[in-house]
Amino acid sequence: RSYLLSCRALPALIKQLSYTLLATMKTVSAALFFALIGTAAAAESCPDELPGKVELDFGLAFHYGILETDQALCGKLVSDTEVWVGFAAQPEGKEQMIDAHAVIALPEANTVQQYTLTAKSPSGIVPSDSQTLTDTTVTQDGTTVATFKQPLSDNGLTLTSNNVYLMAKGTSNNLGFHAGRGFVSLDFETNVISSSTGSTEAPMTTGSTEAPMTT
């Protein structure tokens, strides 16, 4: 008899368990959704005005700042001509183009992407498997302006003031040999962006170099 009662109660028990499981899944889904929304909201965009600036004598400047909340590099390349532009990083003490981690803006393709430089020729400019840039733009109006936001720990390389940094621009919008190139030093400690309002911890610093790139 007790067995029969248990069998009769089984459908109701299954129904109750189904309701409980469904309610739990809805709660977890809602929590996950709001967590994702919160993460997206926490990400900050780079401000228009950046505190740091370095420039080379062939008409190429790099404005930059460290977005403290996101641990990211905000960068803006500005060329005085309409050409492709590039920025790259190497580990400390490695002043060469080969194996550099590069960001290249191609205006005609409307792309700002990451590349690994494996050779001196255009065929050695290989798109990175992992594309982590955000806030990317490239515009032209007699000049070229390209912007990006890059994580400080990225594709196996940590960006710091101690890295070797390279800048280059082309002779046209077609990716190929450069019209000018050179090394620059960046000061990550001074040029910090403290909040999304674009405030900085120090006035703009500048620097320049005329050193040619070695390979």
Side-chain angles (χ1 to χ4, degrees):
R1 185 175 180 177
S2 60
Y3 172 76
L4 291 174
L5 288 174
S6 298
C7 290
R8 289 173 182 172
L10 187 59
L13 179 60
I14 293 174
K15 186 176 182 180
Q16 182 60 43
L17 287 173
S18 298
Y19 284 141
T20 302
L21 181 60
L22 182 61
T24 301
M25 290 176 65
K26 287 181 177 179
T27 301
V28 171
S29 297
L32 180 60
F33 172 78
F34 285 113
L36 291 173
I37 291 295
T39 300
E44 294 191 16
S45 296
C46 295
D48 292 334
E49 297 297 325
L50 298 173
K53 179 184 177 183
V54 289
E55 53 190 333
L56 297 171
D57 61 356
F58 50 80
L60 182 63
F62 182 62
H63 303 256
Y64 70 99
I66 303 305
L67 195 56
E68 192 172 38
T69 54
D70 287 11
Q71 286 297 287
L73 169 66
C74 292
K76 178 166 67 174
L77 286 158
V78 181
S79 168
D80 60 0
T81 53
E82 293 190 351
V83 293
W84 66 263
V85 292
F87 167 83
Q90 285 276 34
E92 182 178 0
K94 194 173 183 179
E95 291 193 356
Q96 63 180 41
M97 185 184 89
I98 304 302
D99 295 331
H101 297 243
V103 174
I104 299 176
L106 302 177
E108 290 190 356
N110 195 31
T111 61
V112 181
Q113 295 183 327
Q114 290 163 290
Y115 298 81
T116 299
L117 307 182
T118 62
K120 299 177 184 179
S121 62
S123 62
I125 303 174
V126 182
S128 301
D129 292 332
S130 177
Q131 296 289 330
T132 61
L133 302 180
T134 56
D135 290 11
T136 59
T137 64
V138 56
T139 58
Q140 291 185 319
D141 185 13
T143 62
T144 303
V145 179
T147 66
F148 63 89
K149 175 182 169 185
Q150 182 177 15
L152 293 182
S153 294
D154 190 37
N155 285 327
L157 181 66
T158 300
L159 305 179
T160 71
S161 295
N162 296 325
N163 291 74
V164 174
Y165 294 98
L166 307 82
M167 293 163 54
K169 73 174 188 178
T171 57
S172 69
N173 284 332
N174 298 318
L175 185 58
F177 291 105
H178 37 67
R181 57 181 181 173
F183 295 102
V184 293
S185 298
L186 303 184
D187 183 353
F188 283 21
E189 287 69 38
T190 301
N191 297 294
V192 175
I193 305 164
S194 59
S195 73
S196 59
T197 60
S199 60
T200 60
E201 294 184 356
M204 178 180 291
T205 61
T206 61
S208 63
T209 177
E210 297 182 4
M213 178 183 294
T214 59
T215 58

